[in-house]
Amino acid sequence: MNTRVLVLVAASFGTLTAAAHADTISGTVTADNHYALYTSIGNTFTYHGGNETGPSGSSGTYNWSHPEPYSFQAGDFLYVAAWSDDAVAQSVLAEFGFTTRSTLLSGDAAWLVYATNINRGDHDPHPDAPEIATHVAFADSGNLWETPFVGGANGIQPWGTIAGISNDARWMWHNTPNDADPLQGGAGAGEMLIFRTVVPAPGAAALIGFAAL
């Protein structure tokens, strides 16, 4: 391979690497009871919003009755922090779309969860980005990420069908020892939770094909 081709490959790699952070995420999320969204690029974390901090919804009877829509720039990782009021039920339901990849749903195998053992409840503010960064660094250093508990799909009780989220999305939470269904019954063990998934770099397949060529 001559120098000109080497330069071309290097330039293409740089362009595609930069594009990894140019992808857009369009999401729709709800949680019983509270959640907040974040992304990270390297050690930089960004907060993107969440639902109501009180028990009531801005529309709908409860704060989980109607999901919130989002659109923001993707990073290396996507995070959902979640906590409940410790009563009746608790879970997260979400759908995320990307401009360069397929849809990601709550309950998909790509998710991991970390239980911070810090309790939050109604009226507590959303954690800021530095707080989430601290929890994530601790979970990384201790290899504390786990596979979430995945329950039924959108439509199950006590929530019913949440409009705006795929019927294939499944409610997810943290596994509780000796609890067959951690979504039901009210629980505060390990809250707040942080769910995490990797955001694949757009253009990666194109780069592999180019390198082969």
Side-chain angles (χ1 to χ4, degrees):
M1 182 180 286
N2 62 34
T3 302
R4 182 178 179 184
V5 175
L6 283 170
V7 171
L8 180 59
V9 171
S12 298
F13 179 81
T15 300
L16 290 170
T17 301
H21 305 310
D23 196 7
T24 298
I25 298 176
S26 297
T28 308
V29 188
T30 194
D32 186 351
N33 294 86
H34 308 286
Y35 74 87
L37 297 179
Y38 310 81
T39 52
S40 68
I41 298 177
N43 293 322
T44 301
F45 283 68
T46 302
Y47 164 74
H48 297 288
N51 70 341
E52 303 87 353
T53 58
S56 300
S58 56
S59 61
T61 305
Y62 304 105
N63 45 19
W64 49 262
S65 300
H66 292 163
E68 289 76 31
Y70 298 90
S71 182
F72 50 86
Q73 184 175 326
D76 300 321
F77 292 92
L78 170 65
Y79 304 88
V80 181
W83 59 100
S84 78
D85 62 359
D86 304 341
V88 183
Q90 52 282 321
S91 200
V92 170
L93 188 75
E95 177 177 355
F96 295 98
F98 302 80
T99 55
T100 56
R101 56 158 289 181
S102 60
T103 299
L104 174 69
L105 302 176
S106 56
D108 286 355
W111 292 99
L112 296 173
V113 65
Y114 164 57
T116 66
N117 290 310
I118 293 177
N119 188 58
R120 303 182 89 94
D122 282 348
H123 305 295
D124 283 339
H126 297 164
D128 60 20
E131 179 181 347
I132 296 300
T134 299
H135 290 307
V136 168
F138 184 78
D140 287 346
S141 66
N143 193 28
L144 301 176
W145 296 100
E146 304 175 54
T147 300
F149 175 85
V150 177
N154 185 12
I156 65 170
Q157 295 304 316
W159 304 286
T161 300
I162 302 298
I165 296 180
S166 169
N167 289 338
D168 293 326
R170 298 174 69 184
W171 292 91
M172 62 182 184
W173 202 243
H174 180 254
N175 275 296
T176 302
N178 303 316
D179 188 345
D181 186 2
L183 307 186
Q184 304 283 347
E191 297 179 353
M192 116 190 116
L193 307 179
I194 300 176
F195 296 89
R196 177 171 82 173
T197 188
V198 174
V199 178
L207 177 60
I208 293 171
F210 185 85
L213 179 62

